[in-house]
Amino acid sequence: MAPAAESHTPDDVPEGKRVAPLELFYDLVFVFAVTQVSHLLLDDLTWNGAIHAALALGVVWWAWNYTVWVTSEVDLDPVAVRLLFLAMMFASLTMAVAVPDAFDRYGLLFAGAYMAIKLGRLVFLTVGGAHPSAIGPSRGTRLLVWFIASGVLWVTGGIVEGPARVGVWMAALAIDLVGPLVMYWTPGHQRLPYSLWRVELSHLVDRYETFVIIALGETIVLTGATVSVRGFDDERFAALALAFVTTATLYLLYFDHFPRVARRALVRGSSGIHLARDAYMYLHVVLVAGVILSAVGDGLVIERSTQAADAAQVVVICAGPALYLFGHVIFRLRITSSLSTVRLVGAGACVLVGLIGSAMPAVLLSALLVGVLIVVIGAESAGSASVRRPEPA
């Protein structure tokens, strides 16, 4: 986090749309969805399992993205909108249930539920009281074209089996990811202007902060469940304590100061929608992936404790904090155009710890990673304090 930026106060940032209880209720499904993705990786610590987990996370993240952006734009009070929102919630729950077998027997169910969520977004813009320019023929037609283009591949992937499913779904997800990036360009037409998206930026920031909490909650669930199943002893208690400290440091790294800076940059800037699309829709999933990997890594440490982790386990244990810190680096770079050297060095330190990770007990490996995170927080706090300290007269 930039020390200079932290000296600003957010008092002049206007109040925006508040997060509705119905939106928080909807998020409960994604607590379960993130848990499903975590177990997908935990049950298959191979490159194949990593690809499956990454693809599943991409779908879960993008499904949530669709809902967040549209609910930042429409009025949730009408009964028809609430019923549609609950229907999308059920589709999300169905998708989450299918995650463990998405690459086996439930492929079509997984893809179909995801398509239902995407279709719900289009209906939302029609019945949800969006600004007239947001539901005009230009935008609606473009969204429908991209919906059909990826939808054919999602359904096809649900029908085929084996590696072909992964390949087809990766192509389908790529289309979904590219759509907002090129502002739903179609041949013979220019890209849609950012002004068509009449979202409440402050509300949008609140929603993404909520998803980070969801991901952090998964670390609590996974570590607590692992200890509950394996039983308490001195070593597992130490691993549980380290897992909790890890989660606490991840929380502090995200929520201590910088969200206010990011909110100010979005709301006060002239290109808020563009900035929000890049920093939140695309870059935030890197942070979420880091938290999920940290949760899986904490679970592995609790299971092994005094034993040395194998190569695949070391990669997961160290990749979580490293990816999380790196995610903060690129997020801040996009928001403030400044580089967080401390966090970048911290990410590198996590990688270096991983190089010697197989030569020590898993609990010691975890302790070293926790030490890196604490040093990063301490270094930033010291830098912030030096900036705020008044110069002597």
Side-chain angles (χ1 to χ4, degrees):
M1 61 187 72
E6 290 172 8
S7 62
H8 292 295
T9 61
D11 296 337
D12 57 343
V13 175
E15 287 289 333
K17 178 180 179 181
R18 297 177 64 88
V19 176
L22 185 60
E23 293 175 280
L24 298 177
F25 180 55
Y26 177 83
D27 287 346
L28 293 177
V29 170
F30 286 86
V31 176
F32 175 58
V34 169
T35 299
Q36 293 284 74
V37 173
S38 298
H39 283 283
L40 190 63
L41 177 61
L42 191 58
D43 293 340
D44 186 11
L45 289 179
T46 64
W47 283 113
N48 193 53
I51 292 172
H52 286 180
L55 186 52
L57 175 61
V59 174
V60 168
W61 175 254
W62 217 243
W64 187 82
N65 260 321
Y66 282 134
T67 309
V68 165
W69 278 75
V70 78
T71 53
S72 291
E73 196 170 352
V74 303
D75 180 10
L76 289 177
D77 287 335
V79 174
V81 174
R82 289 171 174 263
L83 292 176
L84 176 59
F85 196 57
L86 291 173
M88 291 177 67
M89 182 177 179
F90 180 72
S92 301
L93 177 60
T94 303
M95 180 187 69
V97 169
V99 164
D101 290 312
F103 301 93
D104 191 8
R105 56 178 177 163
Y106 289 154
L108 195 55
L109 179 65
F110 180 74
Y114 175 58
M115 291 300 296
I117 297 167
K118 293 178 63 179
L119 182 61
R121 176 184 66 156
L122 297 176
V123 179
F124 243 127
L125 292 175
T126 303
V127 304
H131 189 276
S133 65
I135 56 177
S138 177
R139 185 187 186 196
T141 301
R142 303 286 189 90
L143 293 175
L144 183 60
V145 168
W146 282 80
F147 170 83
I148 295 173
S150 66
V152 171
L153 292 178
W154 282 114
V155 173
T156 301
I159 296 173
V160 301
E161 299 179 351
R165 175 174 295 174
V166 175
V168 173
W169 277 356
M170 288 179 69
L173 183 60
I175 292 175
D176 286 341
L177 294 176
V178 169
L181 196 62
V182 299
M183 295 305 289
Y184 298 98
W185 171 87
T186 55
H189 298 84
Q190 295 182 343
R191 299 182 181 188
L192 292 175
Y194 291 106
S195 59
L196 288 183
W197 272 259
R198 301 296 184 95
V199 299
E200 289 274 358
L201 290 173
S202 182
H203 174 265
L204 206 65
V205 173
D206 288 339
R207 298 295 288 120
Y208 280 90
E209 290 176 2
T210 300
F211 201 95
V212 173
I213 290 291
I214 290 172
L216 290 172
E218 163 57 13
T219 67
I220 300 295
V221 171
L222 185 58
T223 55
T226 303
V227 172
S228 180
V229 171
R230 298 293 181 180
F232 260 115
D233 55 30
D234 292 342
E235 292 79 11
R236 288 203 181 96
F237 182 79
L240 177 64
L242 286 170
F244 177 77
V245 175
T246 298
T247 303
T249 56
L250 298 182
Y251 170 87
L252 291 173
L253 284 165
Y254 185 92
F255 286 98
D256 192 12
H257 301 301
F258 192 69
R260 292 177 294 173
V261 179
R263 188 185 304 271
R264 182 187 180 94
L266 291 180
V267 176
R268 302 288 293 179
S270 59
S271 57
I273 298 295
H274 187 184
L275 200 59
R277 182 202 65 180
D278 295 348
Y280 285 91
M281 180 180 284
Y282 288 101
L283 298 184
H284 248 58
V285 71
V286 180
L287 298 172
V288 172
V291 175
I292 291 175
L293 282 173
S294 294
V296 174
D298 288 340
L300 292 171
V301 171
I302 290 172
E303 287 185 345
R304 303 190 68 85
S305 296
T306 57
Q307 303 174 35
D310 60 33
Q313 292 169 339
V314 169
V315 169
V316 172
I317 293 169
C318 296
L323 187 61
Y324 187 75
L325 289 171
F326 180 71
H328 275 279
V329 171
I330 58 177
F331 175 64
R332 171 183 157 179
L333 187 62
R334 182 65 186 95
I335 287 288
T336 65
S337 300
S338 60
L339 183 65
S340 177
T341 305
V342 173
R343 298 195 182 198
L344 186 60
V345 171
C350 291
V351 174
L352 292 178
V353 169
L355 296 178
I356 59 173
S358 297
M360 64 184 72
V363 70
L364 179 57
L365 173 60
S366 178
L368 290 176
L369 293 171
V370 168
V372 170
L373 296 175
I374 291 175
V375 168
V376 169
I377 292 174
E380 290 185 336
S381 297
S384 299
S386 65
V387 169
R388 290 193 297 266
R389 187 181 302 118
E391 295 184 3

